[in-house]
Amino acid sequence: MNIENSLNKLNEMQRQAVVTTEGPLLVLAGAGSGKTTVLVNRIAYILQNTYARPWNILAITFTNKAANEMKERIEKLIGEDAKDMWIGTFHSVCVRILRTCIDRIGYRPDFVIYDSADSRTLMKECMREQGVDEKVFPVRGVLSVISNAKNDLMDPDMFERVYGKDMRSAVIARLYYLYQKKLRSNNALDFDDIIRFTVNILTDNDDIADKYQARFQYILVDEYQDTNNTQYALISLLAKGYGNICVVGDDDQSIYKFRGANVNNILDFEKDYKNAKKIMLEQNYRSTSNILNAANAVIAHNRKRLGKNLWTAQVGGEPIITYEGDSDRGEARYIAREVRKRYTQTGKWSDCAVLYRTNAQSRAIEDAFMYEAIPYKVLAGLRFYDRKEIKDVIAYLRLVYNHSDDVSFQRIINEPKRKIGAATIDKIRRHSAEKDISNFEVICNIGEYPDLRSAAPRLSAFAAQIKEFRKLAGILDIELLVQRVLNDSGYIAMLETENTVEAGTRLENIHEFMNVVREYMMDAETDGSLGGFLESVTLVSDIDDYDQTQDCVVMMTIHSAKGLEFPVVFLAGLEEGLFPGSRSLENKEDIEEERRLCYVAITRAKEQLYITRAASRFRYGKVTPALPSRFFNEIPAEQMKDASSPAVKAKSMLRKAGVEIVPEKRNMPVYERKKPVTAMEGPVFEKGDRVRHRKFGDGTIVSAQQVGRDAILLIDFDNAGAKRLMAAFAKLEKI
């Protein structure tokens, strides 16, 4: 390993951030300024100079994607030593600590982690038992309040003491008590508990705190501006040993207040660590100067910031193209036309990304893309791991791993159908609550409960099967175990017997899940255990599922785009009340966060940025006029080029002059179609046609639905099963 060659490629400020190893360091890293390069080289520099051994280094990121990228780049620099470092997300690092010491707070080391869907299921059960109406207390809202409390390190007792006098909060406090009680009885943690419990154990147990403070001589934290109060407390505790804490972040990109992120953590870093040094990375390697000048102009209107100014050697570049559509549909049609024009020039769809403030904006754009036969993917739709069949399989594995997991038990007890009805499950729940034991323990002692006698044979058979799987988990590798679970439980047979298009799709998803299992088994850094595998699939985020090699336009909210970059970005819906959102208009801090969000969106673009808006938009069931966002007006006019039609420009001038423009009626057809045609003017496919696909082989078209210039084909392939394909891109051959 020769780090000097790598250091020579850094600019002066990056180099300073790498070689300043001792004491607290704040690296204020602007968008596209090479912060990951700095973190990777800093770790390599520490090891090269033997300031510490690999296992004495802790590097924390926010996504698995970022953690894996860091691991790969460090391995290229230093080789096998990288495997001994602790590099991971906050959650994965805390889970690793908890596996060794969670018994201090009364949990078993084989705890499971509940994702948001599991948490909702558990909370609904709590509300049922407490007689709380979900219409008055929406489940998501209750869980959000509890999550915020946990991020402030408030347990149910403290929450009740602080907020219990308020009637609504008093109800939530009762639910919080019961929710935590059920989590504990299930030997389960939700996402917030993972970090909160780690902080509690380190705070209350000096021996454990001393162990990790002595171990981690150097701590590096990425995206520090996104840390919440529990994450801040965790880092502060671990850094007490050596004080060598390096945080990298950008206060101008703090956009997760709704998740509990506290921008003051980075703003006050120099107050928290009196001898801290600050190094600013302002040279941007991603975008042209026109794009950066626009970003700088917008963010300069925020008062609560440390202050920096991005610059680049890529002087000039294309002007920012702006467009005002007469409606949200007009805006969408323009975006689609420009995407297709770009494709004819480059031959790549994936160069383009469409960003928007809210998911609801995607529908009009999706309609336009389908009409133009443009392949696209919406990020943060239904995740792979949120699909029913995948959650079912994971529930089986979790119950095998942890018999106390009542949420998983109730999900699969009658999946596939075992003639175990809701009344029987309610009885199991009641006995479980009365004896303070798990649902699974109830059916393991079925003879003690006369009211379950009629279902006893089926319940006993299920219990025996889960116990058998538990034995196999200690003998077989995970791939073979999952195959046995799928086959012996009857899950695969159920889908094969159903023999529908939907069942075929679910089987495909299960086959893909097996690929996930195999990839986990092939990863040399995993321990190959069932517990480790369940952790890996539970802690996956939306962005980790994003396949950047897929050639299609990607659509996503701006929040989801954080950390990504694209040659061409369309920033849609820059209208007052939409972006910034109407809820933020009364609060200066919220407006500043919205402006940071706009800054993030602008700096995702490398070569070309489009900013679009609509003169009127269909919202809340009616067409309403829309005004340009204040952020649009904060961009210097010389950076922009207006591509709006003359008619729309004229209407805009009239609006500015105070003339009322009546929005178009919504009952007009979305698109005028003179005749159905295919995108490439190729063969027209009909129901019953036999076709051949280069990957899936021969099949029969079950249905053909015309969509604009393309058609959606449902094809039943002889060997590959049912597939939905766009005719223009399937490259089908009639046979």
Side-chain angles (χ1 to χ4, degrees):
M1 175 180 68
N2 187 353
I3 188 62
E4 199 58 41
N5 292 335
S6 186
L7 291 181
N8 290 335
K9 299 175 184 177
L10 305 180
N11 65 42
E12 179 56 32
M13 301 312 293
Q14 288 175 329
R15 186 182 178 93
Q16 282 187 35
V18 168
V19 301
T20 306
T21 59
E22 306 308 300
L25 174 65
L26 168 61
V27 179
L28 200 61
S33 62
K35 65 182 179 63
T36 304
T37 297
V38 167
L39 285 169
V40 167
N41 280 276
R42 181 180 172 85
I43 291 171
Y45 183 81
I46 290 169
L47 295 174
Q48 172 82 36
N49 291 279
T50 63
Y51 296 142
R53 304 303 300 157
W55 49 85
N56 299 132
I57 294 175
L58 171 65
I60 300 181
T61 67
F62 269 84
T63 67
N64 293 318
K65 179 176 178 289
N68 291 333
E69 180 187 352
M70 192 180 296
K71 287 177 186 175
E72 290 170 6
R73 291 176 63 172
I74 291 173
E75 279 186 29
K76 287 180 180 178
L77 275 177
I78 68 173
E80 292 295 310
D81 282 351
K83 298 188 187 311
D84 294 325
M85 290 184 294
W86 283 44
I87 302 177
T89 64
F90 274 98
H91 288 101
S92 65
V93 166
C94 286
V95 166
R96 191 170 175 181
I97 293 173
L98 289 174
R99 290 290 180 201
T100 67
C101 58
I102 199 169
D103 59 304
R104 298 288 181 100
I105 56 172
Y107 275 78
R108 300 194 311 273
D110 64 345
F111 62 83
V112 294
I113 302 165
Y114 280 0
D115 63 16
S116 54
D118 301 319
S119 295
R120 288 194 296 273
T121 299
L122 194 64
M123 180 53 71
K124 286 180 180 180
E125 187 177 316
C126 294
M127 295 174 79
R128 231 181 2 253
E129 292 182 15
Q130 290 285 314
V132 176
D133 188 347
E134 288 185 34
K135 293 180 181 178
V136 181
F137 290 84
V139 174
R140 292 178 187 271
V142 171
L143 285 171
S144 177
V145 172
I146 291 173
S147 176
N148 290 335
K150 290 183 177 184
N151 287 335
D152 287 333
L153 295 170
M154 299 177 73
D155 61 13
D157 287 327
M158 184 183 296
F159 181 84
E160 187 175 40
R161 286 198 303 272
V162 174
Y163 299 110
K165 293 180 181 179
D166 173 73
M167 290 182 62
R168 189 174 183 84
S169 296
V171 173
I172 294 176
R174 291 203 321 268
L175 292 170
Y176 188 6
Y177 274 115
L178 185 56
Y179 175 71
Q180 288 305 121
K181 179 182 177 182
K182 287 182 177 293
L183 281 172
R184 183 176 289 273
S185 66
N186 290 356
N187 201 39
L189 281 64
D190 66 15
F191 285 134
D192 297 312
D193 284 334
I194 291 172
I195 302 176
R196 181 172 71 102
F197 285 166
T198 306
V199 170
N200 289 344
I201 290 171
L202 291 173
T203 302
D204 297 338
N205 298 271
D206 290 342
D207 59 326
I208 296 174
D210 291 344
K211 171 185 172 181
Y212 288 104
Q213 288 167 358
R215 177 176 190 131
F216 299 131
Q217 297 179 29
Y218 291 90
I219 298 173
L220 303 91
V221 185
D222 193 13
E223 304 287 7
Y224 191 67
Q225 78 280 348
D226 293 333
T227 53
N228 60 30
N229 292 341
T230 51
Q231 291 161 343
Y232 169 84
L234 174 73
I235 295 302
S236 300
L237 282 166
L238 294 175
K240 282 185 176 179
Y242 286 84
N244 295 326
I245 176 172
C246 170
V247 301
V248 180
D250 182 1
D251 57 317
D252 290 333
Q253 295 189 72
S254 179
I255 59 173
Y256 294 116
K257 182 181 178 182
F258 69 98
R259 292 182 187 169
N262 186 348
V263 68
N264 291 315
N265 291 346
I266 191 168
L267 294 175
D268 295 340
F269 183 83
E270 292 172 282
K271 296 178 184 176
D272 294 336
Y273 299 91
K274 301 300 182 184
N275 59 334
K277 298 177 182 177
K278 180 172 72 175
I279 295 174
M280 295 173 55
L281 305 183
E282 297 174 293
Q283 183 175 358
N284 176 283
Y285 292 92
R286 175 189 300 160
S287 308
T288 64
S289 62
N290 273 345
I291 293 170
L292 294 184
N293 290 340
N296 287 333
V298 170
I299 201 64
H301 287 78
N302 272 7
R303 294 184 177 181
K304 197 173 182 180
R305 60 190 295 255
L306 294 172
K308 64 181 183 314
N309 202 56
L310 294 181
W311 63 276
T312 180
Q314 302 179 62
V315 178
E318 295 294 324
I320 295 166
I321 298 176
T322 64
Y323 181 84
E324 181 180 27
D326 54 356
S327 66
D328 48 348
R329 293 172 292 161
E331 175 193 37
R333 287 194 292 266
Y334 172 76
I335 292 172
R337 289 196 303 269
E338 288 298 304
V339 167
R340 178 164 284 285
K341 188 188 300 182
R342 288 269 164 186
Y343 176 75
T344 61
Q345 296 168 355
T346 65
K348 287 184 67 178
W349 298 109
S350 56
D351 279 353
C352 296
V354 182
L355 309 183
Y356 35 76
R357 179 65 181 85
T358 66
N359 279 308
Q361 291 172 250
S362 75
R363 186 200 53 79
I365 302 169
E366 288 188 69
D367 285 348
F369 279 1
M370 285 193 289
Y371 184 79
E372 289 287 342
I374 294 172
Y376 68 91
K377 176 178 181 180
V378 180
L379 193 65
L382 182 64
R383 295 191 319 149
F384 175 76
Y385 294 100
D386 288 336
R387 290 176 169 90
K388 178 187 182 303
E389 58 278 7
I390 303 305
K391 290 191 73 65
D392 286 346
V393 177
I394 291 174
Y396 266 101
L397 297 177
R398 289 203 319 202
L399 187 60
V400 170
Y401 181 69
N402 172 20
H403 290 344
S404 300
D405 187 352
D406 289 348
V407 169
S408 293
F409 175 91
Q410 290 166 25
R411 183 179 186 91
I412 61 170
I413 183 62
N414 204 35
E415 194 70 47
K417 301 299 181 188
R418 298 183 174 89
K419 297 182 179 179
I420 299 170
T424 298
I425 296 173
D426 283 342
K427 290 174 185 176
I428 294 171
R429 281 200 196 103
R430 189 175 68 250
H431 292 309
S432 174
E434 288 171 354
K435 293 204 170 185
D436 197 21
I437 59 177
S438 70
N439 292 181
F440 188 75
E441 194 171 344
V442 170
I443 69 168
C444 287
N445 300 282
I446 199 72
E448 298 178 17
Y449 308 101
D451 58 344
L452 293 173
R453 187 178 296 116
S454 61
R458 297 184 294 281
L459 293 171
S460 295
F462 177 74
Q465 190 174 68
I466 296 299
K467 288 178 180 178
E468 177 64 19
F469 291 152
R470 178 71 173 243
K471 291 178 184 176
L472 292 174
I475 303 170
L476 304 178
D477 64 32
I478 298 174
E479 182 179 354
L480 292 175
L481 173 66
V482 176
Q483 288 174 348
R484 285 290 299 269
V485 168
L486 288 167
N487 289 318
D488 294 0
S489 67
Y491 202 92
I492 294 293
M494 172 190 70
L495 295 176
E496 290 176 342
T497 302
E498 186 177 322
N499 195 28
T500 62
V501 172
E502 290 77 9
T505 301
R506 289 180 176 178
L507 280 169
E508 289 176 18
N509 288 335
I510 286 176
H511 292 321
E512 181 59 30
F513 182 76
M514 293 306 302
N515 289 335
V516 174
V517 174
R518 294 182 190 105
E519 288 173 7
Y520 175 80
M521 294 296 296
M522 292 169 61
D523 189 343
E525 292 190 28
T526 66
D527 60 7
S529 68
L530 178 57
F533 174 71
L534 290 172
E535 278 175 28
S536 70
V537 296
T538 306
L539 298 180
V540 168
S541 67
D542 292 331
I543 198 68
D544 296 324
D545 285 339
Y546 172 41
D547 179 6
Q548 291 176 285
T549 64
Q550 187 177 357
D551 189 25
C552 62
V553 181
V554 63
M555 300 170 57
M556 67 185 91
T557 64
I558 303 167
H559 283 103
S560 297
K562 181 81 163 19
L564 301 176
E565 59 184 44
F566 304 90
V568 181
V569 167
F570 292 83
L571 175 53
L574 223 67
E575 300 148 26
E576 202 73 4
L578 182 59
F579 191 20
S582 55
R583 293 182 180 180
S584 66
L585 298 179
E586 302 299 321
N587 187 302
K588 289 183 179 179
E589 285 193 4
D590 289 344
I591 284 290
E592 293 215 346
E593 174 133 343
E594 291 281 297
R595 187 174 281 110
R596 292 195 292 267
L597 194 59
C598 185
Y599 175 83
V600 167
I602 292 172
T603 53
R604 298 312 95 195
K606 296 167 68 175
E607 302 166 9
Q608 179 70 72
L609 174 65
Y610 290 80
I611 296 179
T612 64
R613 64 186 191 277
S616 64
R617 188 170 293 274
F618 191 67
R619 300 182 72 193
Y620 310 116
K622 62 180 181 179
V623 178
T624 56
L627 295 174
S629 166
R630 68 189 69 191
F631 305 147
F632 177 85
N633 294 326
E634 290 168 359
I635 300 174
E638 60 268 21
Q639 309 293 156
M640 300 187 290
K641 177 182 177 182
D642 191 355
S644 306
S645 70
V648 171
K649 288 181 183 178
K651 287 182 181 179
S652 182
M653 293 294 291
L654 289 172
R655 279 197 303 273
K656 289 178 181 177
V659 178
E660 183 179 354
I661 306 294
V662 179
E664 62 177 289
K665 293 182 179 179
R666 195 65 186 184
N667 59 7
M668 294 172 59
V670 177
Y671 298 105
E672 292 183 9
R673 299 170 183 166
K674 294 181 179 178
K675 63 173 184 175
V677 293
T678 57
M680 305 301 180
E681 297 293 348
V684 176
F685 297 101
E686 297 178 350
K687 180 179 179 180
D689 285 349
R690 288 285 290 173
V691 293
R692 179 168 294 152
H693 186 275
R694 61 182 181 181
K695 178 179 178 182
F696 303 126
D698 296 348
T700 302
I701 295 179
V702 177
S703 68
Q705 178 187 358
Q706 199 73 34
V707 181
R709 299 168 62 195
D710 201 355
I712 299 175
L713 306 178
L714 177 58
I715 306 172
D716 184 9
F717 287 102
D718 299 345
N719 297 318
K723 305 281 184 185
R724 277 191 174 85
L725 304 173
M726 298 296 285
F729 303 99
K731 297 182 179 179
L732 295 170
E733 174 190 350
K734 281 191 176 184
I735 56 175

